[in-house]
Amino acid sequence: MIGVPMSSNPRRARLAALGYYVPERAVTNADLESIVDTTDEWILSRTGIRERRVVAADQATSDLAIGAAINILTSAGLSADEIDVLIVPTCTPDQLFPSVAAVTADAIGAHDAAAFDIQAACSGFIYGLAQAVALVESGLARNVLVVGAEVFSRVINPEDRSTYVLFGDAAAGALVVGVDDAGPSTFIGFELGADGSKGDQLQIPVGGTRHPASQPFDPADAYLQMNGREVFRFATRVIEDSVIRLLDRLGMTIDDVDLLVPHQANQRIIDHAVVRLGIDPARVFGNLDRYGNTSAASIPLALAEARDQGVLTPGMRVMMVGFGAGLTWAACLVRFDPT
Ligand code: UT7
């Protein structure tokens, strides 16, 4: 339930829990060789991906979001009716409306929650976190669930090998809670941005109001279309720029970052960023090889696995950074303090 803003502001947001849900079926690069003109060697060497998860025929995005939301609540020991707001960053919703968030809130029993989707593609999880922190620290809400959920397997073109091999399906997210504490926020800072002039570099042209699905269209326009080289150039620039800008604003350097968790799109983009930022590769976490690009789910999926593997531990300062359709970018520095 959304409340009223507090006149004084003693409430601080905390990243309280992480969780994820992925479909059972793993599709390897070798499996894709029978669908598009590609090879395991090309995919692995050009992207770092070995396999990705793909939904069953009867699953849609909300089914993954529901699984992730339940897992996050279980790990936090919170019941669904204690959720004030459920935000689902996604650019592959079940349908144009209702929102994935509203469907998910109903399914998990978060009947008092305000629920809405946000569309910032692969930057969406960090955009969602910024909203969660603002809601909590203004006093409008105490418990906000942010669940990035995507089913890209339904929007990639089996006739376009340059995009078909890149994406996977997943949902993952975090619980942001308010604690009554006048101290500094554990969310140390955000850097969000968008450049709509490059929107056509990564898009699905059909299905909205400009080209409604009710009108005749070229089937290729109902699928994701990407200028891979242009997005690659954009990604390498904005990862470095946004992280440095955020650290500069905070009076910090890359040495103040314990763990870097970048959007999992292409290992070559990540390697480039690691060199440019001058961070020790041992302080960078990724799981791209097993999931491919899961867009809004990719950063929380990596965070949750880093925690499960004991790489992400309480007290660490974590820099997340993402980029994607819009074109958008987003960075966030947070102290992981799940207690
Ligand atoms: O979340 C944000 C979403 N997007 C991204 O992060 C994507 C950013 N871009 C990329 O990751 C890379 O640009 C790609 C992985 C998409 C492509 O890699 P690239 O090294 O930029 O390849 P390219 O587009 O320059 O293509 C090189 C060659 C071409 O053949 P020719 O023209 O040199 O004969 C392509 O046709 O590789 C060919 N190619 C493939 N070959 C085998 C493209 N896709 C494939 C494929 N299998 N799947």
Side-chain angles (χ1 to χ4, degrees):
M1 201 179 301
I2 293 262
V4 290
M6 290 192 287
S7 46
S8 62
N9 183 15
R11 193 182 283 174
R12 290 299 180 203
R14 185 175 283 176
L15 185 63
L18 295 162
Y20 65 93
Y21 177 85
V22 293
E24 266 172 40
R25 185 158 78 98
V27 173
T28 65
N29 293 346
D31 295 332
L32 294 182
E33 290 176 2
S34 62
I35 303 172
V36 285
D37 179 16
T38 193
T39 59
D40 174 43
E41 195 280 328
W42 191 95
I43 301 171
L44 189 56
S45 64
R46 304 307 290 169
T47 72
I49 300 166
R50 292 177 191 277
E51 62 181 39
R52 71 285 295 140
R53 298 298 179 95
V54 172
V55 286
D58 62 348
Q59 283 181 310
T61 306
S62 61
D63 297 306
L64 306 189
I66 291 164
I70 291 170
N71 289 342
I72 297 164
L73 291 178
T74 304
S75 94
L78 204 73
S79 72
D81 56 15
E82 293 174 277
I83 297 298
D84 299 312
V85 185
L86 172 56
I87 303 173
V88 175
T90 182
C91 55
T92 53
D94 297 8
Q95 50 193 76
L96 273 182
F97 56 86
S99 66
V100 175
V103 173
T104 303
D106 176 61
I108 65 173
H111 300 301
D112 277 342
F116 58 97
D117 294 357
I118 57 169
Q119 219 274 47
C122 312
S123 310
F125 176 67
I126 299 175
Y127 269 64
L129 277 185
Q131 299 211 2
V133 172
L135 284 163
V136 165
E137 298 200 347
S138 69
L140 281 175
R142 186 179 282 275
N143 299 321
V144 182
L145 200 49
V146 184
V147 183
E150 306 278 17
V151 176
F152 265 78
S153 62
R154 296 267 160 74
V155 299
I156 44 175
N157 187 347
E159 294 185 358
D160 177 6
R161 67 177 180 173
S162 69
T163 55
Y164 195 75
V165 302
L166 303 177
F167 295 92
D169 303 336
L175 176 70
V176 176
V177 302
V179 290
D180 295 324
D181 176 0
S185 181
T186 56
F187 285 90
I188 303 163
F190 285 93
E191 165 75 27
L192 311 180
D195 178 1
S197 72
K198 294 191 174 66
D200 59 355
Q201 303 299 317
L202 180 47
Q203 61 172 338
I204 299 177
V206 162
T209 55
R210 181 139 335 260
H211 299 289
S214 55
Q215 303 297 317
F217 58 86
D218 176 348
D221 287 341
Y223 288 114
L224 177 150
Q225 298 173 352
M226 178 170 67
N227 178 345
R229 285 185 195 176
E230 183 57 33
V231 175
F232 193 102
R233 263 193 295 274
F234 170 81
T236 49
R237 179 170 58 78
V238 295
I239 290 183
E240 184 189 357
D241 286 358
S242 58
V243 168
I244 296 295
R245 253 199 315 268
L246 178 52
L247 289 172
D248 282 352
R249 264 186 17 233
L250 295 167
M252 293 179 170
T253 72
I254 199 70
D255 295 334
D256 294 304
V257 173
D258 298 310
L259 194 66
L260 176 70
V261 181
H263 170 44
Q264 303 292 294
N266 185 318
Q267 193 56 46
R268 288 187 295 137
I269 294 175
I270 296 170
D271 292 345
H272 187 275
V274 166
V275 171
R276 297 296 298 236
L277 289 169
I279 187 168
D280 178 356
R283 288 193 281 134
V284 181
F285 187 83
N287 53 12
L288 174 69
D289 57 329
R290 286 180 298 113
Y291 297 112
N293 182 346
T294 60
S295 190
S298 103
I299 290 174
L301 180 57
L303 282 174
E305 286 207 337
R307 178 215 44 202
D308 291 350
Q309 294 172 21
V311 175
L312 173 59
T313 53
M316 273 188 163
R317 271 193 295 240
V318 185
M319 178 70 81
M320 307 169 229
V321 59
F323 57 87
L327 299 175
T328 57
W329 67 88
C332 169
L333 186 65
V334 62
R335 198 175 71 246
F336 182 58
D337 191 0
T339 48

